[in-house]
Amino acid sequence: MFDLISTAYALGSGPSDGQPNPIASLLPFALMFLVLYLLILRPQMKKQRNQQRMIDELEKNDEIVTSGGIHGTILNIKDDILVVKIADNVKIEVSRAAVSRVKNKEDDKGK
């Protein structure tokens, strides 16, 4: 008995004029994607671009802060490694990717 009823529904024997418009059913998903893009994805991509530009523009004598919180001044740049002076007679090597911000260029933007 139940097989007969499920077969009848599968064949579409019900009223056909009550089906929703397929475009109208996709509209909420499109709106959700648009909101997700505008509020999350786009700002994140912009932040990544700015971070990469800042890392690419590093120069000698820039005052930096690493992602570990170490403050120092760049003494030398070797390809992907920076030699950073953190105190008198104390130099460390850090990766470019470890730089989270440049202090002296932030001060210039604020003025």
Side-chain angles (χ1 to χ4, degrees), residues 30-81:
L31 289 174
M32 285 189 329
F33 180 75
L34 180 67
V35 168
L36 177 77
Y37 177 77
L38 291 175
L39 294 179
I40 297 174
L41 296 175
R42 190 167 174 246
Q44 184 64 30
M45 290 186 307
K46 185 177 179 182
K47 184 177 178 182
Q48 273 183 324
R49 271 194 308 267
N50 289 340
Q51 180 73 14
Q52 187 61 44
R53 185 180 318 120
M54 184 263 312
I55 287 174
D56 291 339
E57 293 175 353
L58 289 174
E59 301 172 343
K60 281 185 177 183
N61 298 322
D62 279 349
E63 295 177 12
I64 61 168
V65 178
T66 67
S67 57
I70 299 173
H71 295 247
T73 304
I74 297 176
L75 294 180
N76 194 7
I77 300 175
K78 303 178 202 171
D79 214 15
D80 193 33
I81 297 175

Tab-separated table of all heavy atoms in Angstrom, residues 30-81:
chain	number	residue	atom	x	y	z
A	30	ALA	N	21.760	32.887	-2.989
A	30	ALA	CA	22.560	33.922	-3.649
A	30	ALA	C	22.760	35.117	-2.717
A	30	ALA	O	23.864	35.679	-2.637
A	30	ALA	CB	21.889	34.358	-4.944
A	31	LEU	N	21.713	35.503	-2.006
A	31	LEU	CA	21.826	36.618	-1.067
A	31	LEU	C	22.767	36.280	0.086
A	31	LEU	O	23.548	37.126	0.527
A	31	LEU	CB	20.459	37.018	-0.542
A	31	LEU	CG	19.546	37.715	-1.545
A	31	LEU	CD1	18.162	37.935	-0.947
A	31	LEU	CD2	20.150	39.019	-1.999
A	32	MET	N	22.696	35.037	0.585
A	32	MET	CA	23.604	34.629	1.667
A	32	MET	C	25.059	34.664	1.191
A	32	MET	O	25.942	35.110	1.919
A	32	MET	CB	23.246	33.234	2.177
A	32	MET	CG	22.009	33.215	3.026
A	32	MET	SD	21.626	31.666	3.887
A	32	MET	CE	22.236	30.399	2.842
A	33	PHE	N	25.312	34.195	-0.029
A	33	PHE	CA	26.667	34.225	-0.560
A	33	PHE	C	27.150	35.662	-0.727
A	33	PHE	O	28.303	35.970	-0.417
A	33	PHE	CB	26.751	33.487	-1.899
A	33	PHE	CG	28.127	33.490	-2.477
A	33	PHE	CD1	29.113	32.669	-1.954
A	33	PHE	CD2	28.452	34.338	-3.519
A	33	PHE	CE1	30.397	32.685	-2.459
A	33	PHE	CE2	29.733	34.358	-4.037
A	33	PHE	CZ	30.711	33.533	-3.506
A	34	LEU	N	26.279	36.540	-1.194
A	34	LEU	CA	26.654	37.941	-1.369
A	34	LEU	C	27.019	38.585	-0.030
A	34	LEU	O	28.039	39.277	0.084
A	34	LEU	CB	25.514	38.708	-2.028
A	34	LEU	CG	25.763	40.193	-2.269
A	34	LEU	CD1	26.853	40.389	-3.303
A	34	LEU	CD2	24.484	40.879	-2.699
A	35	VAL	N	26.219	38.337	0.986
A	35	VAL	CA	26.500	38.893	2.320
A	35	VAL	C	27.800	38.310	2.862
A	35	VAL	O	28.637	39.030	3.416
A	35	VAL	CB	25.320	38.623	3.275
A	35	VAL	CG1	25.701	38.915	4.710
A	35	VAL	CG2	24.118	39.448	2.851
A	36	LEU	N	28.008	37.001	2.689
A	36	LEU	CA	29.247	36.355	3.137
A	36	LEU	C	30.453	36.978	2.448
A	36	LEU	O	31.463	37.271	3.090
A	36	LEU	CB	29.182	34.857	2.844
A	36	LEU	CG	30.413	34.046	3.185
A	36	LEU	CD1	30.476	33.819	4.690
A	36	LEU	CD2	30.405	32.723	2.458
A	37	TYR	N	30.334	37.211	1.155
A	37	TYR	CA	31.439	37.806	0.407
A	37	TYR	C	31.729	39.221	0.887
A	37	TYR	O	32.889	39.582	1.143
A	37	TYR	CB	31.118	37.812	-1.089
A	37	TYR	CG	32.171	38.484	-1.925
A	37	TYR	CD1	33.365	37.838	-2.218
A	37	TYR	CD2	31.994	39.774	-2.403
A	37	TYR	CE1	34.346	38.461	-2.971
A	37	TYR	CE2	32.956	40.400	-3.149
A	37	TYR	CZ	34.137	39.740	-3.433
A	37	TYR	OH	35.112	40.362	-4.169
A	38	LEU	N	30.697	40.029	1.030
A	38	LEU	CA	30.903	41.435	1.395
A	38	LEU	C	31.375	41.625	2.826
A	38	LEU	O	32.148	42.543	3.111
A	38	LEU	CB	29.613	42.224	1.167
A	38	LEU	CG	29.209	42.421	-0.294
A	38	LEU	CD1	27.853	43.110	-0.360
A	38	LEU	CD2	30.249	43.195	-1.059
A	39	LEU	N	30.926	40.785	3.743
A	39	LEU	CA	31.258	40.990	5.150
A	39	LEU	C	32.478	40.209	5.623
A	39	LEU	O	33.113	40.612	6.599
A	39	LEU	CB	30.062	40.621	6.032
A	39	LEU	CG	28.833	41.503	5.875
A	39	LEU	CD1	27.720	41.013	6.775
A	39	LEU	CD2	29.162	42.952	6.171
A	40	ILE	N	32.819	39.108	4.949
A	40	ILE	CA	33.913	38.270	5.446
A	40	ILE	C	35.035	38.108	4.426
A	40	ILE	O	36.185	38.433	4.702
A	40	ILE	CB	33.377	36.887	5.879
A	40	ILE	CG1	32.395	37.050	7.026
A	40	ILE	CG2	34.524	35.959	6.271
A	40	ILE	CD1	31.697	35.784	7.440
A	41	LEU	N	34.714	37.607	3.255
A	41	LEU	CA	35.766	37.258	2.300
A	41	LEU	C	36.512	38.475	1.752
A	41	LEU	O	37.745	38.488	1.719
A	41	LEU	CB	35.171	36.450	1.141
A	41	LEU	CG	34.592	35.094	1.520
A	41	LEU	CD1	33.923	34.448	0.320
A	41	LEU	CD2	35.665	34.198	2.081
A	42	ARG	N	35.793	39.496	1.326
A	42	ARG	CA	36.442	40.668	0.731
A	42	ARG	C	37.363	41.406	1.708
A	42	ARG	O	38.503	41.718	1.358
A	42	ARG	CB	35.367	41.596	0.176
A	42	ARG	CG	35.919	42.706	-0.657
A	42	ARG	CD	34.791	43.386	-1.426
A	42	ARG	NE	35.291	44.535	-2.129
A	42	ARG	CZ	34.941	45.786	-1.842
A	42	ARG	NH1	34.081	46.026	-0.882
A	42	ARG	NH2	35.439	46.783	-2.526
A	43	PRO	N	36.917	41.696	2.935
A	43	PRO	CA	37.834	42.358	3.874
A	43	PRO	C	39.062	41.502	4.205
A	43	PRO	O	40.157	42.033	4.372
A	43	PRO	CB	36.976	42.589	5.119
A	43	PRO	CG	35.584	42.581	4.636
A	43	PRO	CD	35.558	41.635	3.490
A	44	GLN	N	38.879	40.185	4.291
A	44	GLN	CA	40.012	39.311	4.591
A	44	GLN	C	41.025	39.323	3.454
A	44	GLN	O	42.234	39.350	3.690
A	44	GLN	CB	39.513	37.878	4.853
A	44	GLN	CG	40.609	36.934	5.269
A	44	GLN	CD	41.241	37.316	6.592
A	44	GLN	OE1	40.611	37.896	7.456
A	44	GLN	NE2	42.501	36.984	6.751
A	45	MET	N	40.555	39.292	2.212
A	45	MET	CA	41.478	39.337	1.072
A	45	MET	C	42.212	40.676	1.030
A	45	MET	O	43.405	40.724	0.722
A	45	MET	CB	40.726	39.100	-0.233
A	45	MET	CG	40.228	37.681	-0.397
A	45	MET	SD	39.489	37.284	-1.987
A	45	MET	CE	38.264	38.536	-2.209
A	46	LYS	N	41.530	41.763	1.355
A	46	LYS	CA	42.164	43.085	1.372
A	46	LYS	C	43.248	43.146	2.455
A	46	LYS	O	44.334	43.678	2.227
A	46	LYS	CB	41.111	44.155	1.618
A	46	LYS	CG	41.637	45.555	1.536
A	46	LYS	CD	40.520	46.561	1.716
A	46	LYS	CE	41.049	47.973	1.662
A	46	LYS	NZ	39.998	48.968	1.885
A	47	LYS	N	42.952	42.580	3.616
A	47	LYS	CA	43.928	42.554	4.705
A	47	LYS	C	45.156	41.732	4.311
A	47	LYS	O	46.290	42.126	4.600
A	47	LYS	CB	43.271	41.976	5.952
A	47	LYS	CG	44.142	41.992	7.168
A	47	LYS	CD	43.398	41.460	8.376
A	47	LYS	CE	44.295	41.420	9.592
A	47	LYS	NZ	43.595	40.872	10.762
A	48	GLN	N	44.953	40.608	3.638
A	48	GLN	CA	46.071	39.784	3.191
A	48	GLN	C	46.935	40.529	2.178
A	48	GLN	O	48.161	40.449	2.222
A	48	GLN	CB	45.573	38.489	2.553
A	48	GLN	CG	45.345	37.366	3.510
A	48	GLN	CD	44.921	36.105	2.793
A	48	GLN	OE1	44.199	36.152	1.804
A	48	GLN	NE2	45.356	34.982	3.295
A	49	ARG	N	46.297	41.231	1.250
A	49	ARG	CA	47.062	42.002	0.251
A	49	ARG	C	47.907	43.080	0.925
A	49	ARG	O	49.076	43.278	0.581
A	49	ARG	CB	46.117	42.650	-0.749
A	49	ARG	CG	45.791	41.812	-1.940
A	49	ARG	CD	45.143	42.631	-3.042
A	49	ARG	NE	44.011	43.413	-2.590
A	49	ARG	CZ	42.750	43.018	-2.630
A	49	ARG	NH1	42.445	41.845	-3.102
A	49	ARG	NH2	41.779	43.814	-2.194
A	50	ASN	N	47.318	43.792	1.899
A	50	ASN	CA	48.067	44.840	2.607
A	50	ASN	C	49.234	44.251	3.391
A	50	ASN	O	50.324	44.829	3.419
A	50	ASN	CB	47.148	45.618	3.539
A	50	ASN	CG	46.182	46.494	2.787
A	50	ASN	OD1	46.397	46.815	1.628
A	50	ASN	ND2	45.102	46.877	3.440
A	51	GLN	N	49.031	43.106	4.035
A	51	GLN	CA	50.098	42.453	4.796
A	51	GLN	C	51.230	42.022	3.861
A	51	GLN	O	52.402	42.222	4.168
A	51	GLN	CB	49.542	41.235	5.557
A	51	GLN	CG	50.567	40.499	6.383
A	51	GLN	CD	50.993	41.239	7.632
A	51	GLN	OE1	50.366	42.198	8.046
A	51	GLN	NE2	52.060	40.788	8.231
A	52	GLN	N	50.891	41.446	2.705
A	52	GLN	CA	51.915	41.007	1.765
A	52	GLN	C	52.673	42.203	1.204
A	52	GLN	O	53.894	42.150	1.050
A	52	GLN	CB	51.283	40.195	0.631
A	52	GLN	CG	52.299	39.566	-0.289
A	52	GLN	CD	53.214	38.601	0.436
A	52	GLN	OE1	52.775	37.802	1.248
A	52	GLN	NE2	54.497	38.671	0.146
A	53	ARG	N	51.976	43.306	0.922
A	53	ARG	CA	52.649	44.512	0.418
A	53	ARG	C	53.610	45.061	1.470
A	53	ARG	O	54.727	45.462	1.159
A	53	ARG	CB	51.610	45.575	0.053
A	53	ARG	CG	52.248	46.792	-0.594
A	53	ARG	CD	51.267	47.887	-0.975
A	53	ARG	NE	50.044	47.424	-1.566
A	53	ARG	CZ	48.828	47.658	-1.045
A	53	ARG	NH1	48.691	48.338	0.069
A	53	ARG	NH2	47.744	47.223	-1.651
A	54	MET	N	53.194	45.056	2.734
A	54	MET	CA	54.044	45.541	3.816
A	54	MET	C	55.301	44.671	3.931
A	54	MET	O	56.404	45.188	4.084
A	54	MET	CB	53.257	45.527	5.134
A	54	MET	CG	53.986	46.105	6.319
A	54	MET	SD	54.816	44.931	7.415
A	54	MET	CE	53.624	43.696	7.721
A	55	ILE	N	55.153	43.364	3.815
A	55	ILE	CA	56.307	42.460	3.908
A	55	ILE	C	57.246	42.668	2.723
A	55	ILE	O	58.472	42.660	2.873
A	55	ILE	CB	55.834	40.998	4.007
A	55	ILE	CG1	55.242	40.762	5.388
A	55	ILE	CG2	56.971	40.023	3.741
A	55	ILE	CD1	54.601	39.407	5.571
A	56	ASP	N	56.691	42.885	1.543
A	56	ASP	CA	57.522	43.090	0.355
A	56	ASP	C	58.290	44.410	0.406
A	56	ASP	O	59.355	44.537	-0.194
A	56	ASP	CB	56.666	43.056	-0.911
A	56	ASP	CG	56.119	41.670	-1.196
A	56	ASP	OD1	56.695	40.683	-0.678
A	56	ASP	OD2	55.111	41.574	-1.932
A	57	GLU	N	57.770	45.406	1.114
A	57	GLU	CA	58.391	46.734	1.161
A	57	GLU	C	59.330	46.921	2.356
A	57	GLU	O	59.730	48.049	2.632
A	57	GLU	CB	57.304	47.803	1.192
A	57	GLU	CG	56.491	47.888	-0.083
A	57	GLU	CD	55.347	48.861	0.005
A	57	GLU	OE1	55.085	49.393	1.114
A	57	GLU	OE2	54.698	49.085	-1.023
A	58	LEU	N	59.685	45.866	3.070
A	58	LEU	CA	60.596	45.995	4.209
A	58	LEU	C	61.962	46.489	3.744
A	58	LEU	O	62.464	46.073	2.703
A	58	LEU	CB	60.751	44.657	4.932
A	58	LEU	CG	59.539	44.181	5.726
A	58	LEU	CD1	59.789	42.785	6.262
A	58	LEU	CD2	59.214	45.136	6.850
A	59	GLU	N	62.553	47.384	4.530
A	59	GLU	CA	63.865	47.958	4.211
A	59	GLU	C	64.742	47.954	5.452
A	59	GLU	O	64.261	47.752	6.572
A	59	GLU	CB	63.689	49.401	3.736
A	59	GLU	CG	62.825	49.564	2.519
A	59	GLU	CD	62.537	51.025	2.216
A	59	GLU	OE1	62.737	51.878	3.121
A	59	GLU	OE2	62.109	51.313	1.094
A	60	LYS	N	66.030	48.226	5.233
A	60	LYS	CA	66.945	48.379	6.369
A	60	LYS	C	66.478	49.538	7.242
A	60	LYS	O	65.899	50.503	6.755
A	60	LYS	CB	68.371	48.670	5.888
A	60	LYS	CG	69.123	47.475	5.427
A	60	LYS	CD	70.557	47.880	5.100
A	60	LYS	CE	71.361	46.676	4.702
A	60	LYS	NZ	72.754	47.021	4.440
A	61	ASN	N	66.750	49.431	8.528
A	61	ASN	CA	66.430	50.441	9.549
A	61	ASN	C	64.934	50.590	9.815
A	61	ASN	O	64.536	51.525	10.510
A	61	ASN	CB	67.046	51.798	9.211
A	61	ASN	CG	68.556	51.726	9.168
A	61	ASN	OD1	69.176	51.032	9.965
A	61	ASN	ND2	69.146	52.427	8.213
A	62	ASP	N	64.103	49.706	9.279
A	62	ASP	CA	62.689	49.716	9.658
A	62	ASP	C	62.546	49.122	11.050
A	62	ASP	O	63.183	48.125	11.371
A	62	ASP	CB	61.857	48.869	8.682
A	62	ASP	CG	61.512	49.611	7.400
A	62	ASP	OD1	61.736	50.831	7.339
A	62	ASP	OD2	61.025	48.946	6.465
A	63	GLU	N	61.730	49.753	11.860
A	63	GLU	CA	61.438	49.218	13.191
A	63	GLU	C	60.223	48.312	13.049
A	63	GLU	O	59.163	48.752	12.597
A	63	GLU	CB	61.154	50.348	14.169
A	63	GLU	CG	62.353	51.232	14.417
A	63	GLU	CD	62.030	52.387	15.342
A	63	GLU	OE1	60.956	52.388	15.964
A	63	GLU	OE2	62.870	53.291	15.437
A	64	ILE	N	60.398	47.050	13.449
A	64	ILE	CA	59.347	46.064	13.229
A	64	ILE	C	58.917	45.401	14.535
A	64	ILE	O	59.613	45.498	15.548
A	64	ILE	CB	59.799	44.969	12.243
A	64	ILE	CG1	61.009	44.208	12.796
A	64	ILE	CG2	60.084	45.548	10.876
A	64	ILE	CD1	61.345	42.947	12.033
A	65	VAL	N	57.776	44.740	14.472
A	65	VAL	CA	57.290	43.886	15.551
A	65	VAL	C	56.967	42.541	14.900
A	65	VAL	O	56.250	42.489	13.896
A	65	VAL	CB	56.027	44.465	16.223
A	65	VAL	CG1	55.528	43.536	17.312
A	65	VAL	CG2	56.303	45.838	16.772
A	66	THR	N	57.521	41.466	15.458
A	66	THR	CA	57.256	40.141	14.906
A	66	THR	C	55.943	39.594	15.447
A	66	THR	O	55.373	40.137	16.386
A	66	THR	CB	58.396	39.160	15.236
A	66	THR	OG1	58.415	38.937	16.634
A	66	THR	CG2	59.737	39.695	14.774
A	67	SER	N	55.500	38.504	14.864
A	67	SER	CA	54.262	37.882	15.335
A	67	SER	C	54.426	37.313	16.739
A	67	SER	O	53.447	37.102	17.442
A	67	SER	CB	53.827	36.774	14.377
A	67	SER	OG	54.850	35.826	14.237
A	68	GLY	N	55.663	37.104	17.173
A	68	GLY	CA	55.923	36.651	18.535
A	68	GLY	C	56.039	37.784	19.529
A	68	GLY	O	56.233	37.558	20.725
A	69	GLY	N	55.951	39.030	19.043
A	69	GLY	CA	55.983	40.182	19.941
A	69	GLY	C	57.365	40.777	20.141
A	69	GLY	O	57.551	41.618	21.018
A	70	ILE	N	58.350	40.366	19.360
A	70	ILE	CA	59.708	40.898	19.492
A	70	ILE	C	59.809	42.207	18.722
A	70	ILE	O	59.476	42.270	17.543
A	70	ILE	CB	60.743	39.885	18.975
A	70	ILE	CG1	60.670	38.601	19.794
A	70	ILE	CG2	62.143	40.473	18.993
A	70	ILE	CD1	61.527	37.474	19.252
A	71	HIS	N	60.271	43.247	19.387
A	71	HIS	CA	60.479	44.558	18.765
A	71	HIS	C	61.942	44.679	18.402
A	71	HIS	O	62.821	44.331	19.195
A	71	HIS	CB	60.110	45.679	19.743
A	71	HIS	CG	58.667	45.711	20.095
A	71	HIS	ND1	57.853	46.737	19.717
A	71	HIS	CD2	57.882	44.844	20.784
A	71	HIS	CE1	56.625	46.495	20.163
A	71	HIS	NE2	56.637	45.350	20.819
A	72	GLY	N	62.217	45.202	17.210
A	72	GLY	CA	63.601	45.370	16.805
A	72	GLY	C	63.721	46.207	15.552
A	72	GLY	O	62.727	46.678	14.994
A	73	THR	N	64.980	46.374	15.113
A	73	THR	CA	65.293	47.159	13.929
A	73	THR	C	65.996	46.261	12.918
A	73	THR	O	66.914	45.516	13.271
A	73	THR	CB	66.216	48.337	14.294
A	73	THR	OG1	65.586	49.104	15.323
A	73	THR	CG2	66.486	49.229	13.099
A	74	ILE	N	65.594	46.346	11.658
A	74	ILE	CA	66.198	45.517	10.619
A	74	ILE	C	67.595	46.043	10.316
A	74	ILE	O	67.773	47.220	10.001
A	74	ILE	CB	65.342	45.528	9.340
A	74	ILE	CG1	63.975	44.929	9.617
A	74	ILE	CG2	66.042	44.770	8.222
A	74	ILE	CD1	63.017	44.986	8.442
A	75	LEU	N	68.591	45.157	10.413
A	75	LEU	CA	69.961	45.516	10.064
A	75	LEU	C	70.342	45.040	8.671
A	75	LEU	O	71.104	45.706	7.976
A	75	LEU	CB	70.935	44.913	11.081
A	75	LEU	CG	70.864	45.448	12.508
A	75	LEU	CD1	71.901	44.751	13.375
A	75	LEU	CD2	71.088	46.945	12.519
A	76	ASN	N	69.842	43.879	8.290
A	76	ASN	CA	70.223	43.303	7.007
A	76	ASN	C	69.067	42.448	6.493
A	76	ASN	O	68.340	41.842	7.275
A	76	ASN	CB	71.488	42.451	7.166
A	76	ASN	CG	72.120	42.101	5.847
A	76	ASN	OD1	71.719	42.584	4.797
A	76	ASN	ND2	73.130	41.242	5.895
A	77	ILE	N	68.935	42.397	5.168
A	77	ILE	CA	67.900	41.580	4.546
A	77	ILE	C	68.583	40.590	3.617
A	77	ILE	O	69.293	40.986	2.692
A	77	ILE	CB	66.905	42.456	3.762
A	77	ILE	CG1	66.225	43.442	4.692
A	77	ILE	CG2	65.887	41.586	3.040
A	77	ILE	CD1	65.320	44.442	4.001
A	78	LYS	N	68.386	39.300	3.893
A	78	LYS	CA	68.935	38.235	3.061
A	78	LYS	C	67.773	37.437	2.492
A	78	LYS	O	67.212	36.594	3.197
A	78	LYS	CB	69.816	37.287	3.870
A	78	LYS	CG	70.959	37.886	4.598
A	78	LYS	CD	71.652	36.782	5.355
A	78	LYS	CE	72.461	37.324	6.494
A	78	LYS	NZ	72.980	36.275	7.362
A	79	ASP	N	67.383	37.718	1.287
A	79	ASP	CA	66.332	36.976	0.604
A	79	ASP	C	65.052	36.901	1.440
A	79	ASP	O	64.287	37.845	1.474
A	79	ASP	CB	66.842	35.581	0.242
A	79	ASP	CG	66.253	35.103	-1.071
A	79	ASP	OD1	65.707	35.943	-1.798
A	79	ASP	OD2	66.344	33.904	-1.356
A	80	ASP	N	64.832	35.796	2.155
A	80	ASP	CA	63.619	35.629	2.951
A	80	ASP	C	63.889	35.756	4.451
A	80	ASP	O	62.998	35.560	5.264
A	80	ASP	CB	62.994	34.260	2.646
A	80	ASP	CG	61.588	34.131	3.176
A	80	ASP	OD1	60.877	35.155	3.190
A	80	ASP	OD2	61.200	33.026	3.582
A	81	ILE	N	65.129	36.094	4.811
A	81	ILE	CA	65.521	36.172	6.224
A	81	ILE	C	65.950	37.597	6.555
A	81	ILE	O	66.671	38.240	5.799
A	81	ILE	CB	66.663	35.184	6.534
A	81	ILE	CG1	66.163	33.759	6.312
A	81	ILE	CG2	67.178	35.359	7.944
A	81	ILE	CD1	67.220	32.705	6.470
